[in-house]
Amino acid sequence: MHPKKQLLDDAAKLLLAELEGKELTARERNQIPLQEMATQDPSERILNMNEVALGYTEAQVRIEAMRCLQCKTKPCVKGCPVGIDIPAFILEAEKGNYAKAVSIIKESSLLPSVCGRVCPQELQCQMYCTVGKAKKDVEQSVSIGRIERFVADYTREHGLDEIPHVGDNSGKSVAIVGSGPASISAAADLRREGHRVVLFEALHKAGGVLVYGIPEFRLPKEIVEYELEILRKMGVEIRLNYLVGKTRTVDELFDKDGFDAIFVGSGAGLPRFLDIEGENSIGVFSANEYLTRSNLMKAYAKTNALTPMYRSKRVAVFGAGNVAMDAARTAKRLGAEVVSIIYRRTEAEMPARREEIAHAKEEGIEFLYLLAPKRIIPGEDGRVKEVEVIECKLGPEDEDGRRRSMMIEGTESLRSYDTVIVAIGNDSNPLIKATTDGIETSHKGTFIVDPSTCATSLEGVYAGGDIVLGAATVILAMGQGRKAARAMNEYLATL
Ligand code: FAD
Ligand code: SF4
Ligand code: SF4
């Protein structure tokens, strides 16, 4: 066990010995200290790609679960987009019934090991927790996500997960486009009803952003692979290197291949750029490309990488969301000496999770606030040499309630970089829309669906996840996949 984790475990075991078997009052529960989660030291972790957060030990998870007051009104459940019965699974964790805890979670969420790690809990379930509210500090809330992560890891590592029951062959077949969390959830729920389910993925690896976007140091890929293996064991067929819209159109999946219904979970993988001078220079990447090279093709493995990685010393990252943090922290691990996040607002407006910002800071990422890139200046060899930036100030709120950023003319200056990573957001890929007649989309290119069924304007075609919501979250994508599957199962029963 990692020495830091060992220390926390020793303390938790002592406390557990005191508390175990006692009828704890709410007051006593309130006094139990929040269990810290061990992390790799910053100096150690910037030299590897391994997971930063090391998870709870069994003693810690039981103590943390004891902090839950089992509130009758369950305010935390309101904060979970898929409505997991949080107090019920925490109670089972407190008793050490981890498999039971997981089965409660799985009634609502199929990917607890993933969501326990990457959900923005502090803005969802934990924001509503009575304990955090009483202490006027959301960080003091019961660590719902960490408990969820532990119980799911425990059942996986101890072989306690069961392959979901698959019903008798229904004679119907469903095509699923994409293999991210929306598609994984839809596939499982459709297969359970006995339909033939084929998942088509454009890339050579399944998992969507969970595999190609979120780095190993936040979400180990073996976890995603494990979930995909469960799908395979359920009989879901996964076809890789298959681009729907090119290899086969949506119409052809119906007419030539005989599918009865289609779920589109193609995500939001089209990177946005700033459209500034010099953005075509060598050494400018979208965060998507940069992260895909590193994650999917293991470009960080210097000796046996499947693709070369641009070697950088000074990296500028434009943007301040989770994707920007992931790109910056990846660049640091790939050996960059200076990595700067360049953001035109202040820390208060940054959309990234607080934990990710804190981790990035600990790892030595530089944060340059109230600064916007104006142009990228290449050297004679065409490679990035400098970035011209301009100072900004905050103005009134925009339509999203965030304070507008306004450039201050005459404050331009040059900063020296050899690499630029653009992480200012993603749009949906237009391929399916362009090759399918009759699919209604918004002005942003997202699919318009019936909010209660995820049905698109084309009969038999459903959609969910980022292709509908725009770049959103794993849990929301998963929730939509399940909602669509429910409606699709009803639709298929009518055929
Ligand atoms: P995706 O995960 O995008 O999967 C779509 C899949 O469809 C891809 O594999 C793609 O290759 C495939 N595809 C696309 N078009 C076709 C086609 N025509 N034919 C076949 N296949 C196709 N969310 C969080 O909750 N927490 C986080 O910490 C977090 N961090 C993130 C970090 C990064 C770097 C990124 C990019 C996103 C992050 N997100 C995070 C967002 C989250 O990952 C997404 O909201 C979620 O993955 C969306 O799921 P999805 O199933 O809709 O699509
Ligand atoms: Fe909280 Fe996310 Fe788990 Fe829901 S899925 S309980 S929001 S961590
Ligand atoms: Fe437990 Fe907090 Fe939910 Fe109350 S609000 S049941 S204390 S997790």
Side-chain angles (χ1 to χ4, degrees):
M1 196 184 290
H2 192 281
K4 275 171 88 180
K5 197 164 168 176
Q6 185 70 60
L7 273 177
L8 292 166
D9 187 45
D10 291 345
K13 276 183 178 146
L14 286 176
L15 190 54
L16 188 61
E18 250 178 64
L19 301 177
E20 209 170 18
K22 266 193 185 171
E23 276 289 323
L24 295 170
T25 61
R27 206 180 130 84
E28 284 166 329
R29 288 182 185 270
N30 256 319
Q31 283 165 353
I32 300 174
L34 175 99
Q35 293 299 294
E36 194 191 320
M37 180 156 62
T39 51
Q40 282 194 71
D41 281 332
S43 57
E44 167 192 354
R45 69 191 191 225
I46 57 167
L47 302 175
N48 65 56
M49 280 284 169
N50 302 338
E51 193 171 15
V52 168
L54 300 170
Y56 278 159
T57 66
E58 205 174 337
Q60 278 191 292
V61 87
R62 296 203 40 214
I63 299 276
E64 187 62 24
M66 286 173 185
R67 296 182 66 236
C68 173
L69 305 174
Q70 293 294 317
C71 312
K72 292 256 169 337
T73 53
K74 305 182 181 187
C76 47
V77 178
K78 285 187 217 111
C80 172
V82 296
I84 292 176
D85 191 344
I86 295 167
F89 94 73
I90 291 185
L91 187 62
E92 296 304 330
E94 178 179 336
K95 293 185 206 155
N97 297 336
Y98 308 126
K100 180 83 200 326
V102 169
S103 72
I104 293 170
I105 300 171
K106 286 205 170 169
E107 284 165 22
S108 318
S109 161
L110 208 71
L111 303 170
S113 307
V114 176
C115 294
R117 287 174 163 83
V118 305
C119 246
Q121 294 117 10
E122 67 283 5
L123 300 174
Q124 297 182 342
C125 51
Q126 290 175 199
M127 192 165 93
Y128 294 86
C129 174
T130 314
V131 176
K133 287 229 148 112
K135 298 188 191 246
K136 294 193 173 53
D137 179 2
V138 70
E139 293 192 2
Q140 284 297 318
S141 293
V142 175
S143 304
I144 301 167
R146 292 174 181 179
I147 300 174
E148 183 173 330
R149 167 190 165 145
F150 176 89
V151 294
D153 285 356
Y154 185 94
T155 53
R156 186 181 70 252
E157 286 158 10
H158 289 78
L160 300 176
D161 284 331
E162 283 172 15
I163 307 299
H165 173 75
V166 172
D168 293 338
N169 184 357
S170 70
K172 309 278 166 34
S173 60
V174 182
I176 303 222
V177 184
S179 61
S183 300
I184 294 175
S185 318
D189 286 356
L190 285 157
R191 181 70 193 134
R192 272 193 246 250
E193 294 298 304
H195 310 309
R196 173 179 173 240
V197 176
V198 186
L199 209 135
F200 296 102
E201 169 54 52
L203 297 172
H204 66 274
K205 256 195 190 157
V209 170
L210 305 183
V211 165
Y212 81 74
I214 304 180
E216 178 78 18
F217 57 81
R218 281 212 296 131
L219 177 63
K221 301 307 152 220
E222 61 170 342
I223 291 173
V224 187
E225 191 41 51
Y226 172 84
E227 299 296 346
L228 290 165
E229 197 47 40
I230 290 191
L231 279 191
R232 286 190 196 99
K233 286 187 178 149
M234 289 173 74
V236 172
E237 223 181 290
I238 301 180
R239 299 189 58 183
L240 304 173
N241 301 308
Y242 199 110
L243 186 62
V244 175
K246 279 260 191 282
T247 322
R248 273 277 200 267
T249 63
V250 164
D251 290 335
E252 287 167 345
L253 287 173
F254 279 124
D255 302 339
K256 287 197 176 153
D257 298 327
F259 285 104
D260 298 293
I262 298 176
F263 174 80
V264 182
S266 53
L270 188 71
R272 277 184 218 143
F273 283 93
L274 281 166
D275 215 8
I276 55 174
E277 193 184 320
E279 229 172 359
N280 287 330
S281 309
I282 302 167
V284 180
F285 298 89
S286 69
N288 259 32
E289 180 186 344
Y290 194 80
L291 289 168
T292 303
R293 277 177 186 269
S294 173
N295 293 331
L296 203 58
M297 299 172 185
K298 302 274 176 275
Y300 58 79
K302 291 177 187 136
T303 48
N304 58 352
L306 297 173
T307 186
M309 197 77 193
Y310 200 74
R311 300 282 162 217
S312 316
K313 283 209 159 59
R314 299 180 62 85
V315 180
V317 180
F318 302 163
N322 285 325
V323 182
M325 297 306 123
D326 284 343
R329 297 173 68 197
T330 297
K332 192 81 190 174
R333 282 162 174 75
L334 290 170
E337 287 158 16
V338 173
V339 183
S340 320
I341 295 273
I342 297 183
Y343 183 46
R344 60 204 170 112
R345 295 187 173 91
T346 69
E347 181 163 347
E349 289 80 29
M350 283 176 78
R353 289 187 64 193
R354 297 297 108 184
E355 192 184 2
E356 302 313 323
I357 298 170
H359 280 161
K361 283 184 179 169
E362 286 167 11
E363 289 166 15
I365 308 295
E366 178 182 43
F367 285 75
L368 303 174
Y369 301 117
L370 293 171
L371 215 55
K374 229 181 146 187
R375 65 186 171 118
I376 297 164
I377 304 164
E380 278 174 11
D381 57 0
R383 290 169 183 261
V384 175
K385 190 166 158 249
E386 286 171 323
V387 174
E388 185 181 44
V389 291
I390 181 165
E391 289 174 25
C392 301
K393 63 180 176 189
L394 291 181
E397 285 182 1
D398 60 16
E399 55 279 7
D400 298 330
R402 270 195 314 176
R403 290 186 66 189
R404 235 175 263 277
S405 153
M406 288 147 55
M407 293 183 186
I408 309 170
E409 289 310 324
T411 59
E412 291 85 349
S413 61
L414 293 178
R415 302 185 72 94
S416 154
Y417 292 106
D418 53 38
T419 307
V420 168
I421 303 175
V422 184
I424 56 161
N426 283 328
D427 291 318
S428 44
N429 192 308
L431 180 64
I432 295 184
K433 149 104 184 121
T435 53
T436 316
D437 284 337
I439 286 267
E440 262 185 48
T441 55
S442 70
H443 68 282
K444 289 182 175 163
T446 50
F447 282 19
I448 296 173
V449 297
D450 176 332
S452 57
T453 60
C454 287
T456 69
S457 50
L458 261 189
E459 191 184 332
V461 181
Y462 295 72
D466 282 3
I467 184 66
V468 170
L469 302 167
T473 60
V474 172
I475 188 73
L476 286 172
M478 221 196 58
Q480 282 215 317
R482 299 204 87 181
K483 189 192 282 180
R486 258 194 308 278
M488 290 172 84
N489 283 328
E490 283 171 20
Y491 170 74
L492 290 164
T494 65
L495 297 182

